[in-house]
Amino acid sequence: MTTYIAPVRDMQFVIREMADLERIAKLPGYEEATPELADAVLEAAAKLASEVLAPLNKIGDEQGATLTPDGVVAAKGFGAAYRQFVDNGWNGLSGDPAYGGQGLPGLICAATVEMWNSANMAFALCPLLTAGATEALKQHGSPELRARYLPKLVSGEWTGTMNLTEPQAGSDLSAVRTKAVPEADHYRIYGQKIFITWGDHDMGENVLHLVLARTPNAPEGVRGISLFLVPKFLVHANGNLAERNDLRCVSIEHKLGIHASPTCVMSFGDNQGAIGYLVGGENKGLSHMFTMMNEARQKVGLQGLGIAERAYQAARDYAKERVQGRPVGNKSGERVTIIHHPDVRRMLLTMKSQIEAMRAFGYVLAGDLDFAQKHPDGAARERFQARADLLIPVLKGWCTELAVEIASIGVQVHGGMGFIEETGACQYLRDARIAPIYEGTTGIQASDLVGRKLSADNGRAMAALVGEMRTLEVHLGDTEGAGFALIRIALRDGILALEQATQWMLQTIGQDPNAALAGSVSYLMLVGYVCGGWQMARAAIASRTALRSGESDEFYRTKIATAVFYAEQVMPKATALLSVVRSGASTARSLGDECF
Ligand SMILES: Cc1cc2nc3c(=O)[nH]c(=O)nc-3n(C[C@H](O)[C@H](O)[C@H](O)COP(=O)(O)OP(=O)(O)OC[C@H]3O[C@@H](n4cnc5c(N)ncnc54)[C@H](O)[C@@H]3O)c2cc1C
């Protein structure tokens, strides 16, 4: 099995030349984020990822977490690695300095999130959920809750969870039944939650659960859900830990992948009731939880990128070692490594080009979120936020669906050995498979995109995006040789498909919502492929500029060739998806349930 080496060169390129770190470093509060600092962060993160986290990936897969009478015990080595992660300040990298964070832009943090997930996806889930809990508490918690809990969450000494799911309430959270009964300055929580990631463990001192529950007489459905902070250990006013709260992990799931990440069934209030504190307003829980979910959805999108990169590295390294067959057209020649076979090269470039598109898309979106938070001009902040709101479901859905495809191609490159656990290729595919399911399935992301994000402003944010793509298309030029002409044609066709599919969606969602929703996943994927193509075109232009200015780095020539491959072999999917979107749902709906 090969190790993981972070693709720092490409990360630097995207951060500097595509997501415009220089402009981000001019925003108030981000002045320290110089390119040199970003490089130093990437280098140190890459070291931790490859030397500490990656070697634990297989151990975690084989051993998993264990439920003991004292609670969940993480796989061997995970506790020490987590302490190192916290002690070196990684958890608070982009955390609010008011609570002890380092306040670096989310853009730089995006690269570290990718690295943690490439190195060890099961491990990376723990800080991923802590980040979501931190954001929800920061935005909606009372000053007292923020002061008491945020510093330890930001440092990572305490970890956070997201407690939404119940057996009858998965995608449909209106069915949540967990109860919250008011008592003095707090509530007593009673109920069971399932599938809670890192719901219990021994890596940190405390686990803070953010729990959706209903107060007595709350309205039915999502309007009656409130959000509560329910700590594993209660906390004194001075910040010291007090007695254990009435909650426990009753079992952990046996599952396809991410074995080292305990997926817990959590029981709240078996005895006197678990003490919980209301976060934000009563009955406003779902909208508050959306803060957490948006943060988590963005990071799960980056997780898709991370696991895809890991699968690619393993496939690439194997293809350079495995000897099989002879060169095409020279059957008597020396036997060659499989990377010499055209179909293996196709598979590797299919992986590489889409991963680079995902990286550029994900990091640029992280940069948009930085502008949305810190831009001095209110109208600009709104514009960036609208862009991010529109594209977060696409990042989550598209990158995680591609992650599964890419990890599957990774198995294929290995041939039979891909199906054998020893190479690690299986684990990447097994681990990747959850990403399009949790934090809202791809179907839920697609209905969010079409039913809420696109409709909310009648397509305005999408029209602005398309406008920007058109401006770029002109800059590609026709006279730069076949490569750039190909990129330009592919981008033009992709933009047209995106425009037409969007028009169809906006017309159809009001008249025939079932037809629109039936095409929504295809629409989401179409948006993803075109956004990826747009970013690859930008990457090609930036590389051309670098080469023209005298740079001789092979990286730029490879980037242009990779962008051409994406234009030729990936972008056409957008046009194909346009007809799928438009075909609507009539055929699927014409069949009765008994026909399935
Ligand atoms: C390993 C793991 C970790 C998890 N971690 C957490 C966690 O930390 N916290 C937490 O709260 N939950 C967690 N979950 C739960 C996860 O978020 C849910 O499994 C997921 O949201 C889907 O819900 P469900 O399983 O009930 O599937 P269902 O909602 O039953 O969905 C089944 C299928 O129906 C489709 N579907 C359902 N409703 C619709 C609709 N309205 N429109 C279109 N399609 C629809 C879905 O897309 C899916 O294909 C985790 C799950 C797993 C397996």
mmCIF file of all heavy atoms in Angstrom, residues 18 30 40 51 97 116 118 129 217 220 235 248 254 291 302 349 352 396 459 473 558 583:
data_model
loop_
_atom_site.group_PDB
_atom_site.id
_atom_site.type_symbol
_atom_site.label_atom_id
_atom_site.label_comp_id
_atom_site.label_asym_id
_atom_site.label_seq_id
_atom_site.Cartn_x
_atom_site.Cartn_y
_atom_site.Cartn_z
ATOM 1 N N MET A 18 -6.044 31.037 -8.347
ATOM 2 C CA MET A 18 -7.437 30.890 -8.735
ATOM 3 C C MET A 18 -8.381 31.439 -7.678
ATOM 4 O O MET A 18 -9.402 32.038 -8.004
ATOM 5 C CB MET A 18 -7.747 29.417 -9.020
ATOM 6 C CG MET A 18 -6.884 28.880 -10.139
ATOM 7 S SD MET A 18 -7.322 27.229 -10.576
ATOM 8 C CE MET A 18 -8.954 27.494 -11.266
ATOM 9 N N TYR A 30 -7.829 39.414 7.941
ATOM 10 C CA TYR A 30 -7.053 38.351 7.277
ATOM 11 C C TYR A 30 -5.669 38.836 6.835
ATOM 12 O O TYR A 30 -5.017 38.206 6.002
ATOM 13 C CB TYR A 30 -7.805 37.831 6.043
ATOM 14 C CG TYR A 30 -9.000 36.960 6.361
ATOM 15 C CD1 TYR A 30 -10.061 36.854 5.471
ATOM 16 C CD2 TYR A 30 -9.069 36.219 7.536
ATOM 17 C CE1 TYR A 30 -11.163 36.056 5.746
ATOM 18 C CE2 TYR A 30 -10.167 35.425 7.821
ATOM 19 C CZ TYR A 30 -11.211 35.342 6.921
ATOM 20 O OH TYR A 30 -12.284 34.551 7.187
ATOM 21 N N ALA A 40 3.612 27.856 4.533
ATOM 22 C CA ALA A 40 4.105 27.228 5.763
ATOM 23 C C ALA A 40 3.021 26.330 6.365
ATOM 24 O O ALA A 40 3.298 25.216 6.841
ATOM 25 C CB ALA A 40 4.529 28.298 6.761
ATOM 26 N N GLU A 51 2.614 11.790 7.822
ATOM 27 C CA GLU A 51 3.425 11.051 8.805
ATOM 28 C C GLU A 51 2.632 10.531 10.000
ATOM 29 O O GLU A 51 3.008 9.561 10.621
ATOM 30 C CB GLU A 51 4.569 11.950 9.304
ATOM 31 C CG GLU A 51 5.574 12.217 8.199
ATOM 32 C CD GLU A 51 6.688 13.159 8.629
ATOM 33 O OE1 GLU A 51 6.803 13.459 9.831
ATOM 34 O OE2 GLU A 51 7.436 13.600 7.733
ATOM 35 N N PRO A 97 -10.604 34.397 16.596
ATOM 36 C CA PRO A 97 -9.595 34.747 17.605
ATOM 37 C C PRO A 97 -10.224 35.141 18.950
ATOM 38 O O PRO A 97 -9.583 34.985 19.991
ATOM 39 C CB PRO A 97 -8.862 35.936 16.973
ATOM 40 C CG PRO A 97 -9.072 35.773 15.501
ATOM 41 C CD PRO A 97 -10.425 35.150 15.348
ATOM 42 N N TRP A 116 -6.586 16.216 5.650
ATOM 43 C CA TRP A 116 -6.996 15.295 6.733
ATOM 44 C C TRP A 116 -7.858 14.170 6.149
ATOM 45 O O TRP A 116 -7.734 13.022 6.542
ATOM 46 C CB TRP A 116 -7.801 15.993 7.840
ATOM 47 C CG TRP A 116 -7.307 17.304 8.382
ATOM 48 C CD1 TRP A 116 -8.086 18.356 8.796
ATOM 49 C CD2 TRP A 116 -5.950 17.731 8.611
ATOM 50 N NE1 TRP A 116 -7.303 19.402 9.236
ATOM 51 C CE2 TRP A 116 -5.990 19.050 9.139
ATOM 52 C CE3 TRP A 116 -4.705 17.144 8.406
ATOM 53 C CZ2 TRP A 116 -4.846 19.780 9.470
ATOM 54 C CZ3 TRP A 116 -3.559 17.872 8.728
ATOM 55 C CH2 TRP A 116 -3.634 19.159 9.252
ATOM 56 N N SER A 118 -7.924 13.039 3.007
ATOM 57 C CA SER A 118 -7.142 12.116 2.174
ATOM 58 C C SER A 118 -6.393 11.135 3.068
ATOM 59 O O SER A 118 -6.337 9.942 2.798
ATOM 60 C CB SER A 118 -6.084 12.873 1.358
ATOM 61 O OG SER A 118 -6.664 13.632 0.348
ATOM 62 N N LEU A 129 -17.061 17.681 12.403
ATOM 63 C CA LEU A 129 -18.309 17.924 13.144
ATOM 64 C C LEU A 129 -18.119 18.974 14.229
ATOM 65 O O LEU A 129 -19.021 19.767 14.502
ATOM 66 C CB LEU A 129 -18.841 16.610 13.714
ATOM 67 C CG LEU A 129 -19.496 15.798 12.593
ATOM 68 C CD1 LEU A 129 -19.486 14.331 12.878
ATOM 69 C CD2 LEU A 129 -20.900 16.294 12.329
ATOM 70 N N ASN A 217 -45.858 21.118 23.801
ATOM 71 C CA ASN A 217 -46.794 21.955 23.036
ATOM 72 C C ASN A 217 -46.175 22.653 21.818
ATOM 73 O O ASN A 217 -46.757 23.597 21.286
ATOM 74 C CB ASN A 217 -47.452 23.037 23.922
ATOM 75 C CG ASN A 217 -48.061 22.435 25.164
ATOM 76 O OD1 ASN A 217 -48.667 21.350 25.100
ATOM 77 N ND2 ASN A 217 -47.864 23.077 26.311
ATOM 78 N N GLU A 220 -46.459 20.966 15.405
ATOM 79 C CA GLU A 220 -46.028 19.783 14.646
ATOM 80 C C GLU A 220 -45.011 20.190 13.584
ATOM 81 O O GLU A 220 -44.950 21.373 13.211
ATOM 82 C CB GLU A 220 -47.238 19.176 13.912
ATOM 83 C CG GLU A 220 -48.239 18.489 14.797
ATOM 84 C CD GLU A 220 -47.670 17.230 15.417
ATOM 85 O OE1 GLU A 220 -47.238 16.354 14.653
ATOM 86 O OE2 GLU A 220 -47.648 17.134 16.665
ATOM 87 N N VAL A 235 -20.601 21.362 32.896
ATOM 88 C CA VAL A 235 -19.453 22.271 33.031
ATOM 89 C C VAL A 235 -19.784 23.352 34.055
ATOM 90 O O VAL A 235 -20.832 24.006 33.968
ATOM 91 C CB VAL A 235 -19.140 22.913 31.649
ATOM 92 C CG1 VAL A 235 -17.968 23.882 31.763
ATOM 93 C CG2 VAL A 235 -18.827 21.839 30.607
ATOM 94 N N ARG A 248 -25.796 8.474 27.022
ATOM 95 C CA ARG A 248 -24.743 7.474 26.777
ATOM 96 C C ARG A 248 -24.882 6.898 25.374
ATOM 97 O O ARG A 248 -25.976 6.972 24.764
ATOM 98 C CB ARG A 248 -24.802 6.355 27.821
ATOM 99 C CG ARG A 248 -25.996 5.495 27.720
ATOM 100 C CD ARG A 248 -26.289 4.739 29.006
ATOM 101 N NE ARG A 248 -27.611 4.141 28.871
ATOM 102 C CZ ARG A 248 -27.831 2.888 28.500
ATOM 103 N NH1 ARG A 248 -26.818 2.069 28.282
ATOM 104 N NH2 ARG A 248 -29.061 2.436 28.373
ATOM 105 N N HIS A 254 -22.074 -1.449 12.856
ATOM 106 C CA HIS A 254 -21.095 -2.148 12.013
ATOM 107 C C HIS A 254 -21.392 -1.712 10.594
ATOM 108 O O HIS A 254 -22.520 -1.832 10.138
ATOM 109 C CB HIS A 254 -21.252 -3.661 12.151
ATOM 110 C CG HIS A 254 -21.017 -4.098 13.559
ATOM 111 N ND1 HIS A 254 -19.760 -4.339 14.052
ATOM 112 C CD2 HIS A 254 -21.876 -4.278 14.580
ATOM 113 C CE1 HIS A 254 -19.848 -4.657 15.327
ATOM 114 N NE2 HIS A 254 -21.130 -4.628 15.677
ATOM 115 N N THR A 291 -27.130 26.335 9.924
ATOM 116 C CA THR A 291 -25.797 26.936 10.008
ATOM 117 C C THR A 291 -24.772 25.821 10.077
ATOM 118 O O THR A 291 -23.754 25.821 9.382
ATOM 119 C CB THR A 291 -25.683 27.770 11.307
ATOM 120 O OG1 THR A 291 -26.740 28.697 11.343
ATOM 121 C CG2 THR A 291 -24.347 28.466 11.399
ATOM 122 N N LEU A 302 -15.569 18.796 0.437
ATOM 123 C CA LEU A 302 -14.099 18.739 0.422
ATOM 124 C C LEU A 302 -13.609 17.340 0.805
ATOM 125 O O LEU A 302 -12.557 16.884 0.359
ATOM 126 C CB LEU A 302 -13.516 19.782 1.382
ATOM 127 C CG LEU A 302 -13.772 21.246 0.984
ATOM 128 C CD1 LEU A 302 -13.399 22.192 2.129
ATOM 129 C CD2 LEU A 302 -12.997 21.613 -0.273
ATOM 130 N N LEU A 349 -6.313 9.826 -16.081
ATOM 131 C CA LEU A 349 -6.629 11.241 -16.380
ATOM 132 C C LEU A 349 -8.076 11.582 -16.040
ATOM 133 O O LEU A 349 -8.387 12.722 -15.687
ATOM 134 C CB LEU A 349 -6.349 11.539 -17.850
ATOM 135 C CG LEU A 349 -5.021 12.247 -18.094
ATOM 136 C CD1 LEU A 349 -4.767 12.443 -19.582
ATOM 137 C CD2 LEU A 349 -4.970 13.609 -17.391
ATOM 138 N N LYS A 352 -7.675 12.267 -12.372
ATOM 139 C CA LYS A 352 -6.881 13.484 -12.102
ATOM 140 C C LYS A 352 -7.619 14.760 -12.523
ATOM 141 O O LYS A 352 -7.670 15.738 -11.777
ATOM 142 C CB LYS A 352 -5.549 13.356 -12.855
ATOM 143 C CG LYS A 352 -4.614 14.555 -12.768
ATOM 144 C CD LYS A 352 -3.320 14.238 -13.543
ATOM 145 C CE LYS A 352 -2.520 15.479 -13.891
ATOM 146 N NZ LYS A 352 -2.006 16.207 -12.747
ATOM 147 N N LYS A 396 -21.365 19.710 -2.343
ATOM 148 C CA LYS A 396 -21.601 18.501 -1.541
ATOM 149 C C LYS A 396 -22.010 17.337 -2.448
ATOM 150 O O LYS A 396 -21.450 16.235 -2.381
ATOM 151 C CB LYS A 396 -22.684 18.819 -0.507
ATOM 152 C CG LYS A 396 -22.881 17.879 0.688
ATOM 153 C CD LYS A 396 -23.065 16.454 0.443
ATOM 154 C CE LYS A 396 -23.351 15.577 1.611
ATOM 155 N NZ LYS A 396 -23.877 14.276 1.196
ATOM 156 N N GLY A 459 -33.512 32.540 -9.785
ATOM 157 C CA GLY A 459 -32.369 32.258 -10.670
ATOM 158 C C GLY A 459 -31.360 33.385 -10.791
ATOM 159 O O GLY A 459 -30.460 33.323 -11.639
ATOM 160 N N GLU A 473 -15.125 32.837 -21.120
ATOM 161 C CA GLU A 473 -15.061 32.122 -22.400
ATOM 162 C C GLU A 473 -14.357 32.987 -23.449
ATOM 163 O O GLU A 473 -13.513 32.514 -24.205
ATOM 164 C CB GLU A 473 -16.493 31.776 -22.833
ATOM 165 C CG GLU A 473 -16.556 30.826 -23.993
ATOM 166 C CD GLU A 473 -17.712 31.141 -24.911
ATOM 167 O OE1 GLU A 473 -18.839 31.296 -24.412
ATOM 168 O OE2 GLU A 473 -17.459 31.245 -26.121
ATOM 169 N N THR A 558 1.319 20.635 -17.859
ATOM 170 C CA THR A 558 0.469 19.497 -17.458
ATOM 171 C C THR A 558 -0.939 19.986 -17.146
ATOM 172 O O THR A 558 -1.931 19.340 -17.484
ATOM 173 C CB THR A 558 1.077 18.818 -16.202
ATOM 174 O OG1 THR A 558 2.433 18.542 -16.452
ATOM 175 C CG2 THR A 558 0.346 17.549 -15.848
ATOM 176 N N SER A 583 -36.204 15.620 -19.808
ATOM 177 C CA SER A 583 -37.153 14.523 -20.067
ATOM 178 C C SER A 583 -38.154 14.397 -18.924
ATOM 179 O O SER A 583 -39.174 13.729 -19.058
ATOM 180 C CB SER A 583 -36.407 13.214 -20.311
ATOM 181 O OG SER A 583 -35.863 12.762 -19.100
#
